[in-house]
Short mmCIF file of all heavy atoms in Angstrom, two decimals:
data_model
loop_
_atom_site.label_atom_id
_atom_site.label_comp_id
_atom_site.label_asym_id
_atom_site.label_seq_id
_atom_site.Cartn_x
_atom_site.Cartn_y
_atom_site.Cartn_z
N LYS A 653 90.67 99.99 101.52
CA LYS A 653 91.73 100.86 101.01
C LYS A 653 91.10 102.20 100.61
O LYS A 653 89.99 102.25 100.07
CB LYS A 653 92.42 100.22 99.82
CG LYS A 653 93.17 98.97 100.24
CD LYS A 653 93.94 98.40 99.08
CE LYS A 653 94.77 97.31 99.48
NZ LYS A 653 95.03 96.22 99.68
N PHE A 654 91.86 103.30 100.92
CA PHE A 654 91.34 104.64 100.70
C PHE A 654 92.39 105.48 99.97
O PHE A 654 93.60 105.32 100.19
CB PHE A 654 91.01 105.31 102.04
CG PHE A 654 90.00 104.54 102.84
CD1 PHE A 654 90.41 103.57 103.76
CD2 PHE A 654 88.65 104.75 102.66
CE1 PHE A 654 89.48 102.85 104.48
CE2 PHE A 654 87.72 104.03 103.39
CZ PHE A 654 88.14 103.08 104.31
N CYS A 655 91.88 106.44 99.19
CA CYS A 655 92.80 107.37 98.52
C CYS A 655 93.26 108.41 99.53
O CYS A 655 92.70 108.51 100.63
CB CYS A 655 92.12 108.02 97.31
SG CYS A 655 90.76 109.13 97.73
N ASN A 656 94.27 109.23 99.15
CA ASN A 656 94.83 110.20 100.10
C ASN A 656 93.82 111.28 100.47
O ASN A 656 93.97 111.96 101.47
CB ASN A 656 96.14 110.79 99.57
CG ASN A 656 95.96 111.53 98.26
OD1 ASN A 656 94.91 111.44 97.63
ND2 ASN A 656 96.99 112.24 97.85
N ILE A 657 92.77 111.47 99.70
CA ILE A 657 91.73 112.45 100.03
C ILE A 657 90.71 111.83 101.01
O ILE A 657 90.28 112.48 101.95
CB ILE A 657 91.01 112.93 98.75
CG1 ILE A 657 92.00 113.71 97.89
CG2 ILE A 657 89.79 113.78 99.09
CD1 ILE A 657 91.47 114.03 96.51
N ASP A 658 90.36 110.60 100.81
CA ASP A 658 89.31 109.97 101.62
C ASP A 658 89.83 109.33 102.92
O ASP A 658 89.04 109.11 103.84
CB ASP A 658 88.57 108.92 100.80
CG ASP A 658 87.71 109.57 99.71
OD1 ASP A 658 87.24 110.71 99.95
OD2 ASP A 658 87.51 108.94 98.65
N LEU A 659 91.12 109.02 102.98
CA LEU A 659 91.66 108.43 104.21
C LEU A 659 91.46 109.36 105.41
O LEU A 659 91.01 108.90 106.46
CB LEU A 659 93.14 108.06 104.04
CG LEU A 659 93.77 107.34 105.24
CD1 LEU A 659 93.05 106.02 105.53
CD2 LEU A 659 95.25 107.10 105.00
N PRO A 660 91.74 110.67 105.30
CA PRO A 660 91.47 111.55 106.44
C PRO A 660 89.98 111.61 106.80
O PRO A 660 89.62 111.71 107.99
CB PRO A 660 91.96 112.92 105.99
CG PRO A 660 92.93 112.65 104.89
CD PRO A 660 92.46 111.39 104.24
N LYS A 661 89.09 111.53 105.81
CA LYS A 661 87.65 111.50 106.08
C LYS A 661 87.30 110.24 106.88
O LYS A 661 86.51 110.29 107.83
CB LYS A 661 86.85 111.52 104.77
CG LYS A 661 86.92 112.82 104.01
CD LYS A 661 86.14 112.70 102.71
CE LYS A 661 86.35 113.90 101.82
NZ LYS A 661 85.68 113.72 100.52
N HIS A 662 87.86 109.13 106.45
CA HIS A 662 87.63 107.86 107.14
C HIS A 662 88.13 107.96 108.60
O HIS A 662 87.44 107.54 109.53
CB HIS A 662 88.33 106.72 106.39
CG HIS A 662 88.09 105.37 106.98
ND1 HIS A 662 86.84 104.80 107.05
CD2 HIS A 662 88.97 104.46 107.51
CE1 HIS A 662 86.95 103.60 107.61
NE2 HIS A 662 88.24 103.37 107.89
N HIS A 663 89.31 108.55 108.76
CA HIS A 663 89.86 108.73 110.10
C HIS A 663 88.97 109.67 110.92
O HIS A 663 88.74 109.44 112.13
CB HIS A 663 91.30 109.27 110.03
CG HIS A 663 91.90 109.50 111.37
ND1 HIS A 663 92.25 108.48 112.21
CD2 HIS A 663 92.21 110.65 112.03
CE1 HIS A 663 92.73 108.97 113.32
NE2 HIS A 663 92.73 110.30 113.24
N GLN A 664 88.43 110.70 110.31
CA GLN A 664 87.55 111.64 111.01
C GLN A 664 86.29 110.94 111.52
O GLN A 664 85.79 111.25 112.60
CB GLN A 664 87.19 112.83 110.10
CG GLN A 664 86.43 113.93 110.80
CD GLN A 664 87.20 114.53 111.99
OE1 GLN A 664 88.42 114.63 111.98
NE2 GLN A 664 86.46 114.90 113.02
N GLU A 665 85.79 109.98 110.75
CA GLU A 665 84.64 109.19 111.21
C GLU A 665 85.00 108.45 112.50
O GLU A 665 84.19 108.36 113.42
CB GLU A 665 84.22 108.19 110.14
CG GLU A 665 83.57 108.81 108.93
CD GLU A 665 83.32 107.80 107.81
OE1 GLU A 665 83.74 106.62 107.94
OE2 GLU A 665 82.72 108.20 106.81
N HIS A 666 86.23 107.94 112.57
CA HIS A 666 86.69 107.26 113.78
C HIS A 666 86.77 108.24 114.95
O HIS A 666 86.41 107.90 116.09
CB HIS A 666 88.07 106.61 113.56
CG HIS A 666 88.05 105.51 112.56
ND1 HIS A 666 89.15 105.21 111.80
CD2 HIS A 666 87.09 104.64 112.16
CE1 HIS A 666 88.87 104.20 111.00
NE2 HIS A 666 87.62 103.84 111.19
N VAL A 667 87.26 109.46 114.66
CA VAL A 667 87.38 110.48 115.70
C VAL A 667 85.99 110.80 116.27
O VAL A 667 85.80 110.89 117.49
CB VAL A 667 88.08 111.75 115.17
CG1 VAL A 667 87.97 112.90 116.14
CG2 VAL A 667 89.54 111.46 114.85
N VAL A 668 85.00 110.97 115.39
CA VAL A 668 83.62 111.27 115.82
C VAL A 668 83.07 110.12 116.66
O VAL A 668 82.45 110.33 117.71
CB VAL A 668 82.73 111.55 114.59
CG1 VAL A 668 81.26 111.59 114.95
CG2 VAL A 668 83.15 112.85 113.91
N GLU A 669 83.29 108.91 116.21
CA GLU A 669 82.81 107.73 116.95
C GLU A 669 83.47 107.62 118.32
O GLU A 669 82.82 107.30 119.32
CB GLU A 669 83.04 106.47 116.12
CG GLU A 669 82.28 105.26 116.58
CD GLU A 669 80.77 105.44 116.56
OE1 GLU A 669 80.23 106.12 115.67
OE2 GLU A 669 80.11 104.89 117.48
N LEU A 670 84.78 107.91 118.36
CA LEU A 670 85.49 107.88 119.64
C LEU A 670 84.93 108.94 120.58
O LEU A 670 84.76 108.68 121.79
CB LEU A 670 87.00 108.10 119.42
CG LEU A 670 87.86 108.07 120.69
CD1 LEU A 670 87.80 106.69 121.36
CD2 LEU A 670 89.29 108.44 120.37
N GLU A 671 84.60 110.11 120.08
CA GLU A 671 84.02 111.17 120.91
C GLU A 671 82.67 110.75 121.48
O GLU A 671 82.35 111.06 122.63
CB GLU A 671 83.87 112.47 120.10
CG GLU A 671 85.12 113.30 120.03
CD GLU A 671 85.71 113.62 121.40
OE1 GLU A 671 84.97 114.14 122.29
OE2 GLU A 671 86.90 113.35 121.60
N LYS A 672 81.87 110.03 120.68
CA LYS A 672 80.60 109.51 121.18
C LYS A 672 80.83 108.56 122.36
O LYS A 672 80.12 108.61 123.36
CB LYS A 672 79.84 108.78 120.07
CG LYS A 672 79.22 109.68 119.04
CD LYS A 672 78.48 108.84 117.99
CE LYS A 672 77.93 109.71 116.88
NZ LYS A 672 77.27 108.90 115.83
N ILE A 673 81.83 107.70 122.22
CA ILE A 673 82.15 106.75 123.30
C ILE A 673 82.63 107.51 124.54
O ILE A 673 82.21 107.21 125.66
CB ILE A 673 83.21 105.72 122.83
CG1 ILE A 673 82.61 104.83 121.74
CG2 ILE A 673 83.74 104.89 124.00
CD1 ILE A 673 83.62 103.93 121.04
N VAL A 674 83.48 108.52 124.34
CA VAL A 674 83.96 109.33 125.48
C VAL A 674 82.78 110.02 126.16
O VAL A 674 82.69 110.04 127.40
CB VAL A 674 85.02 110.35 125.01
CG1 VAL A 674 85.31 111.38 126.09
CG2 VAL A 674 86.31 109.65 124.60
N ASN A 675 81.85 110.59 125.38
CA ASN A 675 80.68 111.25 125.95
C ASN A 675 79.81 110.27 126.73
O ASN A 675 79.33 110.59 127.83
CB ASN A 675 79.85 111.93 124.85
CG ASN A 675 80.50 113.19 124.34
OD1 ASN A 675 81.32 113.81 125.03
ND2 ASN A 675 80.14 113.58 123.13
N ASP A 676 79.59 109.09 126.18
CA ASP A 676 78.80 108.07 126.90
C ASP A 676 79.49 107.67 128.19
O ASP A 676 78.85 107.47 129.22
CB ASP A 676 78.58 106.84 126.01
CG ASP A 676 77.58 107.10 124.90
OD1 ASP A 676 76.88 108.13 124.95
OD2 ASP A 676 77.49 106.25 123.98
N CYS A 677 80.80 107.56 128.15
CA CYS A 677 81.58 107.22 129.35
C CYS A 677 81.43 108.32 130.39
O CYS A 677 81.23 108.05 131.58
CB CYS A 677 83.05 107.02 128.96
SG CYS A 677 84.09 106.49 130.32
N ASP A 678 81.51 109.59 129.95
CA ASP A 678 81.35 110.71 130.88
C ASP A 678 79.97 110.72 131.52
O ASP A 678 79.81 110.98 132.72
CB ASP A 678 81.59 112.05 130.16
CG ASP A 678 83.06 112.27 129.80
OD1 ASP A 678 83.92 111.55 130.35
OD2 ASP A 678 83.33 113.15 128.96
N LYS A 679 78.93 110.42 130.71
CA LYS A 679 77.56 110.36 131.24
C LYS A 679 77.42 109.26 132.29
O LYS A 679 76.79 109.46 133.33
CB LYS A 679 76.57 110.12 130.11
CG LYS A 679 76.33 111.33 129.25
CD LYS A 679 75.36 111.00 128.11
CE LYS A 679 75.22 112.16 127.15
NZ LYS A 679 74.34 111.81 126.01
N LEU A 680 78.02 108.12 132.01
CA LEU A 680 77.97 107.01 132.97
C LEU A 680 78.69 107.40 134.26
O LEU A 680 78.18 107.15 135.36
CB LEU A 680 78.59 105.75 132.36
CG LEU A 680 78.65 104.53 133.29
CD1 LEU A 680 77.26 104.12 133.74
CD2 LEU A 680 79.36 103.38 132.58
N GLN A 681 79.84 108.02 134.13
CA GLN A 681 80.59 108.44 135.32
C GLN A 681 79.78 109.47 136.12
O GLN A 681 79.74 109.40 137.35
CB GLN A 681 81.94 109.03 134.90
CG GLN A 681 82.85 109.30 136.08
CD GLN A 681 84.24 109.72 135.62
OE1 GLN A 681 84.40 110.25 134.53
NE2 GLN A 681 85.22 109.48 136.46
#
């Protein structure tokens, strides 16, 4: 559970992680 200030930070961590996966996928392709 996250407060309204930290929930967007937590979501941003997911966004960064997703970008890493997208980059790895692009490299593989």
Side-chain angles (χ1 to χ4, degrees):
K653 294 184 174 90
F654 302 91
C655 67
N656 61 348
I657 294 170
D658 291 329
L659 184 61
K661 291 178 188 175
H662 183 63
H663 179 70
Q664 187 59 34
E665 289 173 356
H666 295 151
V667 169
V668 169
E669 195 60 36
L670 181 63
E671 277 306 308
K672 286 180 184 177
I673 293 171
V674 168
N675 286 337
D676 287 348
C677 184
D678 289 345
K679 286 178 186 177
L680 178 60
Q681 188 173 26

